[in-house]
């Protein structure tokens, strides 16, 4: 099965021998591929919509995994019982949706040893939420697929380190290991915020706002971090 570089990168961060919950599974490609690789023992594939669940069941049946992947229809972590899995993957959603899913069933999330999260947007807010609610960032990854640069965050329960705003924007563990795609990450973050500032500069009211001041300061901090990173 060819699942693409994004899902492969997510899969590579799932601990060996895990019992995995893939939330928002869509076609159940990730758990089936992980079973083919011998990386997980079994999986629960959950999705809120009936269509993706049917697609997931077809994938599971096609690859002869019906005894090792259970597809469940339901919202977020409500498809799970406490202690039923030791790794949870959530991919392809916005950070706010992921936070809502985790916060709604925190007891279930806490029982899993590892969270593997791939937000489509809002990774800094996801990092901030995780570290503010008893999770420690264990690993981070960047992967390119098509024209997109995706961030993957791995978190475990435990006391979090303190990170600056700029580190949270870029990914503190990506910075620590000098990830080869880090320059693209800097460019993506700075381009996005500078474009937002340019749009705000069309309005005097916006320029006078606390949001504008916050973003301008954040851009400065990220640029300083970039200089420190590449001029050592």
């Amino acid at each position: 099965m060819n699942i693409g570089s994004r899902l492969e990168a997510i899969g590579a961060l799932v601990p060996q021998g895990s019992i995995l919950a893939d939330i928002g599974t869509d076609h159940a490609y990730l758990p089936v591929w992980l079973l083919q690789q011998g990386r997980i023992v079994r999986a629960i594939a959950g999705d809120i919509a009936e269509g993706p669940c049917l697609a997931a069941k077809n994938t599971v049946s096609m690859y002869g995994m019906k005894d090792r992947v259970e597809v469940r229809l339901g919202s977020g972590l409500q498809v799970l019982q406490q202690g039923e899995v030791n790794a949870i993957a959530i991919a392809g959603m916005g950070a706010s949706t992921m936070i809502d899913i985790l916060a709604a069933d925190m007891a279930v999330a806490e029982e899993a040893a590892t969270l593997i999260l791939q937000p489509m947007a809002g990774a800094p807010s996801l990092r901030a939420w995780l570290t503010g609610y008893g999770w420690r960032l264990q690993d981070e990854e960047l992967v390119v697929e098509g024209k997109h640069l995706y961030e993957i965050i791995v978190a475990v329960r435990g006391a979090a380190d303190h990170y600056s705003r700029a580190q949270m924007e870029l990914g503190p563990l990506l910075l620590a290991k000098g990830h080869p795609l880090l320059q693209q990450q800097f460019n993506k973050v700075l381009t996005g915020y500078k474009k937002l500032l340019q749009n705000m500069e069309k309005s005097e009211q916006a320029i006078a706002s606390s949001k504008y001041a916050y973003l301008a300061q954040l851009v400065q901090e990220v640029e300083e971090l970039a200089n420190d990173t590449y001029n050592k």
Side-chain angles (χ1 to χ4, degrees):
M1 178 188 285
N2 180 10
I3 62 172
S5 56
R6 179 181 68 94
L7 286 180
E8 282 195 14
I10 295 167
L13 294 169
V14 175
Q16 183 70 38
S18 293
I19 301 170
L20 177 71
D22 183 29
I23 303 301
T25 193
D26 198 6
H27 286 71
Y29 292 144
L30 179 63
V32 168
W33 182 80
L34 285 169
L35 283 164
Q36 288 182 329
Q37 304 302 308
R39 194 167 186 91
I40 63 173
V41 176
R42 62 181 185 274
I44 296 166
D47 206 286
I48 195 171
E50 190 169 345
C53 282
L54 290 174
K57 288 178 180 178
N58 287 338
T59 301
V60 170
S61 179
M62 183 187 308
Y63 287 92
M65 300 286 187
K66 292 174 84 171
D67 60 332
R68 301 179 73 187
V69 182
E70 183 181 350
V71 179
R72 297 180 184 175
L73 175 66
S75 176
L77 303 186
Q78 292 177 19
V79 299
L80 303 173
Q81 301 294 320
Q82 274 185 252
E84 198 172 16
V85 299
N86 54 22
I88 297 172
I90 311 177
M93 307 175 193
S96 60
T97 301
M98 291 184 173
I99 291 168
D100 288 345
I101 287 171
L102 294 169
D105 292 279
M106 186 66 91
V108 174
E110 288 174 354
E111 285 293 321
T114 308
L115 303 178
I116 307 99
L117 308 171
Q118 183 268 301
M120 299 300 283
S125 64
L126 181 58
R127 291 185 185 100
W129 184 86
L130 288 166
T131 56
Y133 283 87
W135 299 90
R136 176 174 59 84
L137 304 184
Q138 185 184 61
D139 200 359
E140 294 180 310
E141 185 59 85
L142 291 172
V143 60
V144 173
E145 185 173 271
K147 297 180 179 180
H148 300 285
L149 180 66
Y150 296 102
E151 299 176 64
I152 309 167
I153 299 167
V154 181
V156 295
R157 293 298 290 174
D161 294 327
H162 174 75
Y163 302 115
S164 70
R165 292 191 302 182
Q167 288 175 318
M168 291 293 244
E169 287 292 328
L170 276 302
L173 304 187
L174 297 172
L175 288 160
K177 61 185 178 182
H179 196 283
L181 294 175
L182 194 55
Q183 184 66 65
Q184 289 190 45
Q185 177 76 332
F186 272 110
N187 292 340
K188 176 184 173 183
V189 170
L190 286 171
T191 298
Y193 281 129
K194 285 182 177 180
K195 185 176 181 180
L196 184 56
L197 286 172
Q198 286 173 358
N199 288 334
M200 294 181 74
E201 285 163 2
K202 297 173 184 177
S203 163
E204 290 186 8
Q205 184 178 356
I207 292 175
S209 68
S210 58
K211 180 178 179 180
Y212 182 89
Y214 175 85
L215 291 175
Q217 179 64 32
L218 184 57
V219 165
Q220 181 180 331
E221 290 173 11
V222 171
E223 287 178 331
E224 289 172 354
L225 184 56
N227 289 333
D228 290 344
T229 300
Y230 293 107
N231 294 319
K232 288 180 180 178

